[in-house]
């Protein structure tokens, strides 16, 4: 009697095509656990883990036996389940289990795709179409979910490879649809993002391709604390500079050739890397040994990057981090298989399956952190080298692995020159400046030229010089010994930790047990940051209960070392991984004191940002705003909840201007949220109310905006606040610009506020507007002033004033203010098109339109649309389209900023070129268009005459 098992889409057993009843959830999971190891014995303990996870019933063994007995009775005398050696076996072949058959077919398809993707495409399609969720509809334990995870990953790889063939064969649209789902479900899979970006480029959607890369960057930073891989980063550059091809024969290989990440901070050369490089040849095994923190991982990564750069290993350089494997792991093959992107190649990837895949390939395999799984590594290497292969293995371990023919290189402390270089580079990254060579050498000598100790010492230079650290080492030896950061009473060799961390709680408890009490307290406190944070914020907020800023720096370094906190070296920011943070909050929560420290720190920062974005260092302050959005929101919410109205007003002091000048709705939403949480009257929170009104104006919620402004208008006496109120009214109705900016300028002069005066003069078209902006305004204000000045010149005078356009664009690019950049791009695109250089000008227009559409800012969208309608008239092009676009704008009852500068001769020119019937048809059609439809018409028009 032949038995078969279905796991995809549910769990079912069949005998000679006749379905058999399996029973409830536990019995189905039991069948699946046995089927995934078809023909092999699964221990009783393992089955209990898979079926019940961390919460097995009392008498789990008896319950399991009863479940097996019930299954056997239901399946009849030919039941394929046998008892054997302390466990059970399901007597079926791999080909009888659909999930295992899927894996084997995928492995075969991948082999064919490596040679001829077109030939493999039908097989890949069949795999995509036959895929269903494993054990669908069943609630399974975390351990069973982990068991199924590689199968999901393999499905993703199948979909990626199939989509790659679609893009190359001319069907990118289908590929993009599949990849949008894949990236949504697996947001940290960089290969999926690369394929999605390729597909979007092939469709001519370069803006969307860039947005996809940015979404990938944000997902990787948020969930893993890392940046883009070199391949995806390179492709982003190709999209930006226009070299990314949109043809079907896309030149970039879609096959990954390495999984290395850029070194987060510069690698200081070690002589051992040259030694390793010289020893690595096909069929060799080299192990780099040394204690923890000596720099083994960095050295082998450097070798890997060199191999990639020189193209020595044509089939790939793959780094396999074995840290997460438990000491009793029987095999490292699954980890190797996933790292090289080959899928699992089996229900539980075996050494044999991985060796078969690697056979004949020229690969450098880097096995990192092998010491705790030496037996499994030895078994894998023995099987790998038992056959003729072109693979070289480079391993790191604290002790030699004992592999036959293993060649060992011991990594010693750094030379004095290298140690000093490392110290100076890390100090430079911190921004603390360089120290005299004699002091640096003394420090490195005191630390035995030990890399980890040197890096932590370099981190101390925020508060201490190299000489001061040496002096304190003499008086306080604990400064050196504390580099490991463990409680001496609890610290022990991690090799002796045999427990496998099956859940986050267990893993976190294990990690926390390694920490000194003060370090653990620091970790609990920095959970207050719901987003990433910089060291300055941690020093200011977390140093409580007698701890100093230096203690916090030490603790954060320890937490990074323990992988509880990740560091983004490029941005010099840190983050508690969100699952760990949520667990910490669930266990112990946050004290009122730490919440207050966080709230007060970021309230003050909000005040500084509000002023800074209109000052000489606006680019830096816009960066701070982008980095701290979440922390700022949380601080304002805390202040509102605590009734700290003064803090709310401090944070919102200038945020209304940031909303309007930066076209950023977030502060407006924070202000609305704060008002909803408070019982205070609007007049008691005027800055907050103005910020909320600014956000409503930006979102065209005019009734609510007018209601708030009406209340404030009756009570505001402070001239600065009244100036800001008139600015909001200008944005509310730019058609009455002269009325509102005149009142704004009068109030700004009374308040002696130079920023508000410059903003008012820019909109009020005063003769001294540019001089005032240049003297008192930020680059963004200077940009806006030039844009308004140029746009309001008579048409005949504009060609002679193009220097204003070029100045505006140059200034905008230094401002880091997206609104200023888009305004400058719009006016530059318009002027280039008017001068006949449509090929250069059209992309600027399209970029401006796309930016406004993506931010869903109707007033800005309609402004760009009307600017395009004006441009058509100036260029003597398409009067019917111009009339249509104007009618679409007018039908909204929105007064775009361009309405202020629309020239009277433009409508007359259109009317003179069209018959009454044509004009009415264009206007009637335009009045039916919504914002997105009108934007599409404008975009098509620009693309039309750009192509012409």
């Amino acid at each position: 009697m032949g038995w078969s098992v279905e796991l995809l889409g549910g769990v079912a057993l069949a005998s000679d095509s006749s379905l058999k009843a399996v029973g409830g959830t536990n019995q189905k999971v039991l069948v699946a656990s046995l089927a995934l190891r078809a023909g092999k014995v699964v221990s009783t303990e393992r089955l209990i883990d898979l079926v019940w996870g961390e919460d097995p019933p009392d008498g789990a063994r008896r319950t399991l036996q009863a479940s097996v007995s019930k299954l056997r009775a239901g399946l009849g005398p030919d039941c394929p389940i046998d008892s054997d050696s302390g466990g059970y076996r399901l007597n079926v072949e791999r080909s009888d289990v659909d999930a295992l058959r899927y894996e084997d077919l995928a492995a075969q398809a991948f082999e064919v795709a490596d040679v001829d993707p077109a030939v493999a495409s039908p097989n890949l399609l069949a795999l995509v179409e036959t895929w269903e969720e494993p054990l669908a509809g069943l609630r399974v334990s975390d351990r069973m979910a982990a068991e199924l995870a590689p199968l999901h990953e393999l499905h993703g790889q199948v979909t990626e490879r199939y989509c790659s063939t679609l893009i190359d064969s001319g069907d990118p649209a289908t590929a993009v649809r599949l990849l949008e789902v894949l990236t949504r479900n697996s947001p940290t899979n960089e290969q999926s993002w690369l394929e999605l970006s390729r597909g979007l480029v092939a469709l001519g959607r370069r803006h969307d391709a860039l947005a996809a890369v940015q979404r990938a960057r944000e997902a990787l930073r948020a969930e893993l604390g890392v940046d883009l891989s070199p391949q995806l980063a390179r492709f982003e550059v190709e999209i930006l500079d226009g070299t990314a091809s949109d043809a079907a024969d896309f030149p970039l290989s879609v096959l990954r050739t390495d999984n290395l990440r850029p070194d987060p901070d510069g690698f200081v050369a070690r002589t051992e890397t040259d030694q390793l490089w010289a020893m690595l040849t096909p069929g060799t095994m080299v192990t780099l040994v040394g204690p923890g923190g000596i720099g083994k991982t960095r050295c082998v990564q450097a070798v890997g990057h060199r191999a990639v750069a020189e193209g020595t290993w044509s089939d790939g350089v793959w780094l396999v981090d074995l840290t997460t494997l438990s000491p009793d792991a029987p095999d490292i093959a699954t980890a190797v298989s996933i790292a090289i992107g080959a899928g699992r190649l089996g229900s539980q990837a075996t050494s044999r399956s991985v060796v078969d895949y690697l056979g004949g390939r020229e690969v450098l395999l880097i096995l990192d952190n092998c010491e705790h799984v030496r037996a499994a590594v030895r078994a894998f290497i023995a099987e790998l080298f038992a056959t003729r292969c072109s693979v070289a293995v480079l391993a790191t371990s604290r002790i030699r692995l004992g592999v036959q023919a293993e060649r060992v290189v011991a990594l010693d402390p750094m030379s004095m020159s290298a140690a000093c270089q490392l110290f100076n580079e890390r100090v430079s990254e911190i921004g603390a400046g360089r120290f005299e060579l004699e002091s640096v050498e003394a420090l490195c000598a005191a630390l035995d030229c030990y890399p980890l100790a040197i890096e932590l010492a370099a981190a101390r230079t925020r508060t201490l010089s190299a000489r001061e650290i040496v002096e304190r080492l003499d008086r306080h030896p604990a400064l050196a010994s504390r580099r490991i950061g463990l409680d001496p009473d609890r610290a022990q060799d991690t090799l002796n930790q045999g427990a496998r961390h099956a859940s986050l709680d267990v893993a976190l408890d294990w990690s926390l047990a390694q920490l000194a009490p003060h370090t653990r307290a620091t970790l609990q406190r920095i959970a207050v940051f719901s987003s990433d944070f910089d060291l300055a914020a941690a020093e200011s907020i977390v140093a409580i209960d007698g701890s100093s800023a230096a203690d916090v720096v030490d603790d954060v370094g320890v937490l990074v070392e323990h992988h509880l906190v990740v560091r983004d070296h490029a941005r010099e920011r840190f983050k508690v991984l969100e699952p760990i943070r949520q667990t910490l909050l669930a266990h112990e929560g946050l004290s009122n004191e730490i919440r207050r420290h966080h709230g007060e720190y970021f309230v003050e920062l909000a005040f500084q940002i509000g002023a800074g974005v209109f000052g000489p260092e606006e680019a830096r302050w816009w960066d701070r705003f982008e980095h701290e959005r979440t922390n700022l929101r949380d601080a304002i919410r805390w202040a509102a909840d605590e009734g700290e109205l003064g803090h709310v007003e401090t944070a919102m002091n200038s945020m209304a201007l940031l909303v309007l000048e930066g076209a950023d709705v977030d502060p407006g939403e924070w202000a609305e949220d704060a008002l909803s949480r408070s019982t205070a009257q609007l007049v008691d929170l005027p800055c907050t109310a103005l910020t909320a009104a600014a956000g409503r104006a930006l979102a065209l919620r005019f009734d609510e905006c007018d209601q708030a402004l009406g209340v404030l208008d009756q009570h505001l006496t402070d001239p600065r606040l009244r100036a800001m109120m008139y600015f909001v009214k200008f944005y509310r109705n730019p058609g009455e610009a002269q009325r509102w900016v005149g009142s704004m300028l009068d109030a700004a002069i009374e308040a002696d506020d130079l920023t508000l005066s410059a903003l008012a003069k820019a909109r009020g078209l005063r003769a001294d507007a540019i001089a005032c902006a240049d003297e008192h305004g930020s680059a963004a204000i200077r940009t806006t002033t030039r844009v308004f000045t140029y746009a309001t010149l008579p048409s005949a005078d504009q060609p002679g004033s193009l220097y204003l356009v070029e100045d505006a664009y140059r200034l905008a690019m230094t401002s880091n203010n997206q609104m200023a950049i888009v305004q400058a791009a719009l006016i530059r695109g318009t002027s280039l098109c008017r001068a006949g250089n449509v090929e250069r000008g059209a992309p600027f227009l399209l970029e401006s339109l796309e930016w406004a559409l993506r931010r869903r800012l109707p007033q800005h969208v309609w402004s760009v649309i009307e600017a395009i309608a004006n441009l058509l008239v100036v260029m003597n092009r398409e009067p019917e389209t111009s009339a249509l676009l104007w009618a679409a704008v007018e039908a909204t009852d929105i007064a775009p900023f361009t309405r202020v500068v629309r020239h009277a001769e433009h409508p007359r020119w259109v009317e003179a070129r069209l018959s009454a019937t044509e004009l009415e048809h264009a206007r009637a059609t335009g009045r039916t268009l919504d914002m997105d439809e009108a934007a599409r018409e404008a975009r098509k028009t620009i693309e039309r005459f750009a192509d012409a």
Side-chain angles (χ1 to χ4, degrees):
M1 181 180 292
W3 288 88
S4 63
V5 186
E6 295 179 6
L7 302 182
L8 301 180
V11 177
L13 266 171
S15 173
D16 293 332
S17 301
S18 175
L19 285 176
K20 301 291 185 180
V22 176
T25 296
N26 288 344
Q27 288 186 317
K28 289 178 179 177
V29 175
L30 173 59
V31 169
S33 302
L34 294 169
L36 287 172
R37 292 160 181 76
K40 298 181 180 179
V41 176
V42 185
S43 69
T44 299
E45 291 76 11
R46 183 62 178 163
L47 288 172
I48 291 172
D49 277 348
L50 292 172
V51 175
W52 289 287
E54 295 184 350
D55 189 26
D58 294 333
R61 285 178 172 271
R62 293 192 300 273
T63 305
L64 180 66
Q65 290 171 353
S67 293
V68 173
S69 298
K70 188 174 181 180
L71 266 174
R72 286 171 170 166
L75 297 177
D78 294 316
C79 171
I81 301 176
D82 290 341
S83 303
D84 193 322
S85 304
Y88 299 92
R89 177 195 298 114
L90 183 65
N91 287 317
V92 295
E93 300 294 328
R94 279 185 60 83
S95 58
D96 296 326
V97 181
D98 61 352
L100 305 187
R101 190 164 60 247
Y102 183 95
E103 292 178 324
D104 293 338
L105 292 172
Q108 295 169 18
F110 288 172
E111 293 280 358
V112 175
D114 288 346
V115 178
D116 192 338
V119 173
S121 185
N123 295 335
L124 293 168
L125 172 60
L127 290 167
V128 170
E129 291 180 337
T130 57
W131 170 262
E132 292 184 79
E133 183 77 10
L135 279 63
L138 298 182
R139 186 181 182 88
V140 299
S141 69
D142 290 343
R143 296 184 183 183
M144 175 54 82
E147 192 77 0
L148 298 173
L151 190 61
H152 286 90
E153 184 170 348
L154 178 60
H155 165 61
Q157 293 169 356
V158 168
T159 306
E160 289 167 6
R161 298 293 286 271
Y162 175 58
C163 290
S164 174
T165 66
L166 289 177
I167 296 168
D168 293 336
S169 63
D171 186 12
T174 301
V176 166
R177 285 196 297 273
L178 291 170
L179 290 164
E180 287 283 10
V181 175
L182 200 59
T183 52
R184 190 161 53 247
N185 294 335
S186 302
T188 58
N189 187 328
E190 290 182 85
Q191 189 64 27
S192 298
W193 286 112
L194 177 59
E195 294 297 346
L196 175 59
S197 303
R198 287 186 62 229
L200 291 168
V201 169
L203 289 171
R205 295 165 56 187
R206 294 179 183 273
H207 282 290
D208 291 335
L210 285 172
V213 176
Q214 180 58 26
R215 280 153 52 203
R217 176 182 287 109
E218 292 169 354
L220 288 165
R221 286 177 175 174
E223 297 192 27
L224 301 180
V226 298
D227 213 330
L228 298 178
S229 66
Q231 187 179 17
L232 191 51
R234 283 195 300 270
F235 188 56
E236 182 182 39
V237 172
E238 291 177 10
I239 300 172
L240 286 167
D241 63 22
T243 59
S245 170
D246 57 5
D249 57 342
F250 193 84
L252 183 65
S253 171
V254 299
L255 296 176
R256 292 165 56 199
T257 56
D258 72 88
N259 66 339
L260 301 175
R261 293 196 175 277
D263 200 333
D265 21 56
F267 174 72
V268 175
R270 312 279 291 268
T271 57
E272 290 86 354
T273 58
D274 292 332
Q275 187 180 358
L276 293 170
W277 180 257
M279 296 170 69
L280 283 171
T281 56
T284 60
M285 164 78 183
V286 182
T287 304
L288 182 65
V289 299
I294 198 71
K296 300 186 297 296
T297 297
R298 290 198 177 211
C299 283
V300 296
Q301 285 179 330
V303 173
H305 283 298
R306 179 174 176 180
V308 171
E310 298 190 11
T312 311
W313 306 92
S314 57
D315 293 306
V317 178
W318 309 102
L319 188 147
V320 187
D321 187 358
L322 303 178
T323 305
T324 58
L325 294 185
S326 67
D328 60 352
D331 203 338
I332 67 167
T334 298
V336 175
S337 180
I338 291 173
I340 65 180
R344 294 182 76 199
L345 300 177
S347 66
Q348 184 181 28
T350 62
S351 296
R352 180 73 266 157
S353 62
V354 177
V355 168
D356 288 344
Y357 176 82
L358 293 173
R361 288 178 168 81
E362 295 183 355
V363 168
L364 173 59
L365 193 63
I366 302 173
L367 304 178
D368 197 20
N369 300 301
C370 296
E371 56 272 355
H372 63 302
V373 286
R374 283 180 294 161
V377 172
R378 283 197 296 266
F380 175 80
I381 298 300
E383 191 160 4
L384 178 65
F385 289 153
T387 60
R388 294 183 60 185
C389 72
S390 300
V391 177
V393 178
L394 175 60
T396 71
S397 177
R398 296 187 181 184
I399 54 177
R400 68 167 55 236
L401 299 174
V403 176
Q404 187 175 7
E406 175 186 16
R407 305 170 72 182
V408 177
V409 174
L411 187 60
D412 296 321
M414 307 180 85
S415 66
M416 179 58 73
S417 61
C420 291
Q421 181 185 349
L422 175 63
F423 179 82
N424 287 327
E425 286 194 6
R426 297 300 178 261
V427 167
S428 176
E429 290 159 10
I430 294 171
R434 298 181 70 87
F435 300 101
E436 61 276 8
L437 178 60
E438 183 178 351
S439 297
V440 175
E441 288 182 341
L443 175 60
C444 291
L447 297 172
D448 295 326
C449 293
Y450 200 82
L452 177 58
I454 290 170
E455 294 204 19
L456 289 174
R460 300 177 195 274
T461 56
R462 289 183 179 277
T463 54
L464 299 172
S465 70
R467 177 182 53 78
E468 289 171 328
I469 295 173
V470 173
E471 292 173 352
R472 282 156 179 77
L473 283 172
D474 291 337
R475 297 199 303 269
H476 305 288
L479 279 176
S481 64
R482 278 169 54 195
R483 66 181 182 270
I484 305 302
L486 300 180
D487 184 336
D489 295 330
R490 294 181 175 179
Q492 52 186 311
D493 190 343
T494 55
L495 296 180
N496 295 328
Q497 301 294 326
R500 183 181 181 87
H501 308 317
S503 72
L504 179 61
D505 283 345
V506 175
L508 184 57
D509 288 344
W510 182 87
S511 296
L512 294 178
Q514 312 300 303
L515 301 176
H518 61 85
T519 307
R520 178 166 180 165
T522 295
L523 176 61
Q524 183 66 42
R525 291 167 187 160
I526 62 176
V528 73
F529 297 102
S530 59
S531 182
D532 54 18
F533 58 93
D534 62 19
L535 205 54
E539 290 173 305
S540 296
I541 294 168
V542 178
I544 59 177
D545 294 338
S547 61
S548 66
D551 293 330
V552 172
V553 173
D554 287 344
D555 288 342
V556 171
V558 170
L559 294 170
V560 171
E561 186 66 23
H562 280 252
H563 306 290
L564 296 168
V565 171
V566 294
R567 182 188 180 194
D568 183 335
H569 289 260
R571 297 164 63 235
E572 295 187 350
R573 294 181 70 80
F574 300 83
K575 180 176 174 60
V576 183
L577 293 177
E578 190 59 21
I580 294 175
R581 179 176 175 271
Q582 291 300 330
T583 303
L584 289 167
L585 294 177
H587 282 179
E588 300 182 40
L590 293 169
S591 69
N592 291 334
E593 183 182 12
I594 200 68
R595 288 184 185 277
R596 175 170 291 278
H597 276 236
H598 177 277
E600 291 178 344
Y601 179 89
F602 283 104
V603 161
E604 178 60 27
L605 182 62
F607 176 85
Q608 295 171 6
I609 288 172
V613 295
F614 300 107
E617 296 185 57
E618 63 184 313
R620 181 172 69 86
W621 286 110
W622 275 112
D623 276 339
R624 291 298 303 275
F625 179 69
E626 287 297 330
H627 290 157
E628 306 294 1
R629 280 179 188 268
T630 305
N631 287 313
L632 294 171
R633 178 205 64 195
D634 292 348
I636 294 165
R637 184 172 295 171
W638 163 83
D641 287 342
E642 294 297 315
E644 298 279 3
L645 302 188
H647 285 326
V648 176
E649 279 292 276
T650 296
M652 291 295 168
N653 182 66
S654 299
M655 284 289 174
L657 301 181
L658 187 146
V659 169
L660 300 177
E661 280 293 278
D664 197 300
V665 298
D666 275 2
E669 294 176 355
W670 304 338
E672 286 201 62
D673 181 59
L675 291 172
S676 70
R677 292 168 181 268
S678 172
T679 57
Q681 301 298 311
L682 290 184
V683 294
D684 297 323
L685 294 167
C687 293
T688 308
L690 283 170
T691 305
R696 293 164 180 165
L698 202 62
L700 304 188
R701 293 161 55 194
F702 292 142
D703 289 344
E704 297 169 75
C705 177
D706 291 343
Q707 184 179 8
L709 293 177
V711 173
L712 293 172
D713 203 0
Q714 299 176 36
H715 295 89
L716 289 184
T717 57
D718 185 314
R720 177 178 178 273
L721 295 179
R722 292 195 65 81
M724 285 201 293
M725 180 187 67
Y726 295 133
F727 198 31
V728 176
K729 290 188 174 185
F730 162 76
Y731 268 80
R732 158 67 177 92
N733 188 1
E736 298 184 45
Q738 294 308 308
R739 174 186 176 186
W740 298 125
V741 297
S743 298
M744 176 184 175
L745 181 57
D746 292 341
I749 292 172
E750 182 183 351
D752 195 24
D753 191 304
L754 301 178
T755 295
L756 287 170
S757 294
L759 285 169
K761 288 183 178 181
R763 270 71 179 184
L765 309 177
R766 297 300 181 97
D768 61 342
I770 290 179
C772 180
D774 288 350
E775 184 176 359
H776 302 297
S778 64
I781 295 175
R782 296 171 68 193
T783 296
T784 301
T785 305
R786 284 160 171 78
V787 166
F788 268 73
T789 300
Y790 176 84
T792 53
L793 290 172
S795 298
D797 294 341
Q798 286 182 338
S801 302
L802 288 177
Y803 69 91
L804 291 172
V805 173
E806 294 304 317
D807 280 353
Y809 191 75
R810 175 181 55 79
L811 288 165
M813 297 307 290
T814 68
S815 72
N816 210 11
N817 181 321
Q818 287 298 307
M819 180 61 188
I821 292 171
V822 169
Q823 283 182 328
L826 175 61
I827 204 75
R828 193 180 195 208
T830 301
S831 63
L832 285 168
C833 289
R834 289 185 59 181
N837 196 341
V838 177
E839 184 178 358
R840 283 189 62 205
F844 288 107
L845 297 176
L846 296 175
E847 180 181 334
S848 300
L849 183 59
E850 183 66 16
W851 176 85
L853 280 169
R854 288 187 178 179
R855 291 213 172 185
R856 309 310 294 169
L857 298 173
Q859 196 167 59
H860 295 283
V861 175
W862 291 115
S863 293
V864 179
I865 290 172
E866 188 167 40
I868 291 172
N870 283 338
L871 175 65
L872 296 178
V873 175
V874 174
M875 295 180 67
N876 297 328
R877 302 286 291 269
E878 303 196 30
E880 189 169 358
T881 301
S882 183
L884 179 148
L885 295 178
W886 276 333
V889 175
E890 290 164 354
T892 66
D893 290 328
I894 295 170
F897 304 117
T898 43
R899 184 69 53 80
V900 180
V901 296
R902 182 197 287 186
H903 295 289
E905 66 267 22
H906 291 179
R908 289 199 297 271
W909 182 90
V910 170
E911 292 169 2
R913 296 298 185 275
L914 299 176
S915 68
T917 302
E918 290 172 330
L919 184 61
E920 181 50 38
H921 178 267
R923 288 175 172 170
T925 303
R927 284 191 290 268
T928 66
L929 301 179
D930 63 21
M931 183 178 77
D932 292 287
E933 291 168 338
R936 279 196 292 272
E937 289 297 322
R939 185 164 52 241
K940 285 191 295 186
T941 303
I942 295 296
E943 290 170 344
R944 235 185 350 258
F945 63 79
D947 291 339

